[in-house]
């Protein structure tokens, strides 16, 4: 029996990065031998065992054979005769197909160390094409390791997979799992660049893919192209370390521009009204969590109002709070302001310093919200005990007065 650390732990160790998890492969053992040594079996599709002390997973070396479309369509085979090289060749990329023996030596039969040095994502074998999830995983790795490039042959293989419909067999939950993980990496735009380059983005997120080639007014968007703008926005959100709902909202905020008739370009009047429907449909299709969906819809609808916050009258500001349910959910409203800030910062290189300029709209609206929330709605309601129909209007008026005072706004 021989035990090896494999995959990401080996890759990250060679890159000098912190190793979060260990994947173990056992060569030359049977399930009965593993159980005899105290390992607990947990695998359903193939033998996986939990270490009796560390509870880490140890998998018997295995081979696999494609039997049906999608990533579920595999039959696995394990036996003591399966070699480590047989197990490693079924993996996706050469940089993930290395192993470290118990004596610390590296087993690298497919050139992973050289590809690490060259900063290249390269498929191990043509078996890569049998699992469409590997396209998503490679794209996610690109967001994690943004200085790596995709080997030409690997990109061609992914294009072939897209053309043959393999990507269409992906289940929504797995698509969202990989996309959400990629959004949380250091440069999410690299994930979308890889997906666009092989044609997968148009199949997975056609609403987003439609934004490339759609122009915007250069006065406000020096980068002009809407797709480019979205990538600048999501990378800024990552640079700030924002959480997933904010990053997803930043990615979705201008989706409505993709349905603006070409004869209206570069203007996009009313795109804030078109975005929410597109986002709702997309989230339903991919089964996006509710918190991400709701924040994205709100940001798409309101980011234009947020950008004009200093011009809004107190009454309009209070109506904005009511529409966003900000009195009950002020934390979500604050998240929407951060996503809108990402929109303001994600502009072309000519205004690169926009990222470092003041963004007063967020603090301005939060100050107004604090004043409006300080109004005691119960006390206001008590004054209209005999005419309850007037209570909502009275509470609204009291909040408007509080906002006017807080902002020093003398307009009606």
């Amino acid at each position: 029996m021989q035990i090896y650390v494999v995959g990401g732990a080996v890759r990250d160790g060679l890159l000098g990065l912190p190793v979060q998890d260990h994947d173990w492969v056992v060569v030359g053992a049977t399930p009965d031998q593993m159980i005899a040594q105290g390992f607990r079996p947990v695998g359903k599709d193939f033998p996986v065992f939990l270490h009796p002390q560390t509870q880490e997973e140890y998998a018997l070396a295995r081979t696999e054979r494609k039997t049906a479309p999608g990533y579920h369509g595999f039959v696995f085979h394990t036996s003591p005769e399966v070699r480590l090289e047989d197990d490693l060749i079924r993996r996706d990329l050469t940089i993930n197909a290395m192993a470290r023996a118990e004596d610390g030596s590296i087993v690298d039969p497919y050139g992973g160390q050289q590809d690490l040095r060259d900063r290249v994502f390269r498929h191990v074998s043509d078996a890569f094409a049998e699992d469409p999830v590997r396209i998503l995983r490679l794209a996610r790795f690109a967001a994690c390791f943004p200085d790596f490039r995709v080997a030409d042959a690997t990109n061609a293989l992914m294009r072939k997979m897209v053309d043959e419909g393999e990507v269409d067999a992906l289940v929504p939950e797995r698509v969202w799992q990989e996309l959400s993980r990629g959004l949380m990496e250091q440069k999410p735009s690299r994930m979308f660049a890889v997906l666009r380059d092989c044609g997968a983005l148009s199949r997975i997120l056609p609403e987003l893919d439609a934004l490339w080639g759609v122009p915007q007014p250069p006065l406000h968007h020096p980068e002009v192209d809407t797709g480019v703008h979205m990538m600048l926005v999501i990378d800024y959100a990552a640079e700030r370390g924002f959480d997933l709902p904010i990053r997803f909202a930043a990615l979705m905020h201008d989706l409505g521009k993709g349905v603006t008739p070409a004869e209206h370009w570069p203007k996009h009047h009313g795109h804030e009204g078109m975005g929410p429907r597109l986002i709702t449909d997309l989230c339903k299709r991919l089964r996006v969590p509710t918190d991400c969906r709701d924040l994205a819809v709100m940001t798409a609808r309101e980011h234009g109002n947020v950008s004009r916050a200093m011009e809004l009258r107190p009454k309009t500001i209070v109506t904005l709070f009511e529409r966003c349910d900000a009195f009950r959910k002020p934390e979500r409203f604050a998240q929407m302001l951060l996503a809108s800030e990402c929109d303001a910062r994600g502009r072309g290189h000519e205004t690169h310093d926009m990222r470092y300029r003041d963004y007063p709209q967020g603090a301005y609206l939060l100050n107004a919200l604090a004043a409006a929330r300080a109004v005691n709605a119960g006390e206001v309601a008590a004054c209209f005990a005999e005419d309850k129909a007037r209570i909502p209007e009275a509470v609204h008026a009291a909040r408007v007065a509080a906002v006017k005072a807080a902002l020093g706004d003398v307009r009606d």
Side-chain angles (χ1 to χ4, degrees):
M1 180 188 300
Q2 297 170 304
I3 299 177
Y4 300 87
V5 179
V6 297
V10 181
R11 177 198 68 221
D12 291 347
L14 291 172
L15 289 172
L17 300 174
V19 175
Q20 305 296 332
D21 300 300
H22 292 87
D23 292 322
W24 302 87
V25 164
V26 182
V27 178
T30 65
D32 288 343
Q33 289 173 321
M34 297 294 288
I35 294 171
Q37 293 196 27
F39 286 83
R40 180 163 59 89
V42 293
K44 294 181 180 178
D45 297 323
F46 49 84
V48 176
F49 302 83
L50 296 183
H51 191 281
Q53 278 79 48
T54 67
Q55 300 303 304
E56 290 184 315
E57 290 188 355
Y58 285 63
L60 296 186
R62 66 185 187 271
T63 61
E64 60 187 29
R65 180 169 54 88
K66 181 77 167 178
T67 58
Y71 75 96
H72 283 307
F74 292 91
V75 171
F76 300 97
H77 169 69
T78 63
S79 81
E81 286 73 39
V82 175
R83 303 175 305 157
L84 177 63
E85 292 78 7
D86 299 327
D87 183 276
L88 294 176
I89 200 171
R90 69 179 177 79
R91 296 174 184 268
D92 51 5
L93 303 173
T94 59
I95 62 171
N96 296 329
M98 296 179 285
R100 188 176 69 243
E102 293 177 279
D103 63 3
S105 61
I106 301 297
V107 180
D108 179 19
Y110 305 110
Q113 292 179 91
Q114 185 62 50
D115 283 341
L116 278 184
R117 289 189 288 269
D118 294 340
R119 297 296 194 261
V120 173
F121 296 124
R122 189 188 314 278
H123 62 286
V124 180
S125 73
D126 287 344
F128 182 100
E130 296 177 351
D131 186 356
V133 171
R134 289 173 170 173
I135 293 178
L136 295 173
R137 279 173 49 82
L138 192 157
R140 172 168 60 82
F141 285 134
C144 181
F145 303 112
D147 58 336
F148 279 59
R149 64 178 177 84
V150 181
D152 291 341
T154 301
N155 191 58
L157 182 60
M158 292 194 298
R159 279 191 165 275
K160 185 172 183 287
M161 294 168 67
V162 173
D163 292 342
E164 293 178 350
E166 274 289 323
V167 170
D168 301 329
L170 288 166
V171 298
E173 293 86 353
R174 195 61 194 272
V175 173
W176 172 250
Q177 180 186 45
E178 296 296 334
L179 288 176
S180 61
R181 291 178 68 182
L183 284 173
M184 294 306 295
E185 299 291 359
Q186 63 169 303
K187 199 171 183 65
S189 65
R190 286 285 293 124
M191 172 173 64
F192 298 105
V194 168
L195 292 175
R196 283 194 73 231
D197 201 29
C198 71
L201 190 64
S202 65
R203 311 295 280 269
I204 296 169
L205 290 173
E207 303 90 344
L208 183 65
D209 187 67
L211 297 180
W212 274 268
V214 175
Q216 303 170 104
L219 176 63
H220 303 295
H221 289 275
E223 73 285 355
V224 179
D225 190 282
T226 306
V228 173
H229 168 59
M230 298 294 258
M231 296 300 97
L232 292 169
V233 170
I234 187 56
D235 281 349
Y236 177 78
E239 182 181 319
R240 289 287 302 274
F242 290 147
D243 60 17
L244 178 60
I246 295 174
R247 297 192 194 199
F248 182 68
L251 179 70
M252 296 283 105
H253 80 280
D254 267 349
L255 221 59
K257 290 182 178 178
V259 295
T260 300
E263 59 267 25
H264 297 165
W265 292 350
K267 296 181 179 180
H268 296 275
H269 295 306
H271 75 278
E272 296 96 340
M274 298 300 296
R277 177 182 59 80
L278 294 171
I279 295 169
T280 299
D281 290 346
L282 181 155
C283 291
K284 182 178 181 180
R285 185 177 75 244
L286 296 185
R287 300 177 188 174
V288 175
T290 302
D291 60 339
C292 291
R293 180 201 65 199
D294 291 349
L295 184 63
V297 167
M298 184 188 302
T299 303
R301 186 185 68 227
E302 307 294 354
H303 68 276
N305 291 321
V306 172
S307 71
R308 297 185 294 271
M310 321 297 283
E311 306 166 17
L312 301 180
R313 294 178 179 274
K315 184 175 182 179
T316 305
I317 291 175
V318 173
T319 301
L320 170 66
F321 296 155
E322 292 169 344
R323 193 165 59 244
C324 295
D325 201 13
F327 296 112
R328 290 196 316 122
K329 299 180 178 180
E331 296 84 4
R332 188 180 66 181
F333 185 80
Q335 287 181 311
M336 190 267 288
L337 296 180
L338 292 175
S340 299
E341 179 181 348
C342 294
D343 170 40
R345 307 292 196 190
R347 305 300 162 106
H349 66 277
E350 294 89 344
T351 54
H352 185 69
D353 60 342
M354 275 290 295
R355 296 187 303 150
Y356 307 105
R357 293 180 184 174
D358 290 337
Y359 182 78
Q361 292 94 324
Y364 185 82
L365 288 173
L366 288 178
N367 181 38
L369 179 59
R373 294 187 75 228
V375 171
N376 190 321
E379 289 183 358
V380 175
C383 297
F384 295 88
E386 302 300 323
D387 191 0
K388 294 183 179 180
R390 294 183 58 193
I391 290 176
E393 178 185 350
V395 171
H396 177 85
R399 287 169 171 166
V400 171
V403 169
K404 289 182 66 173
L407 301 181
D409 195 317
V410 298
R411 294 176 296 178
D412 292 333

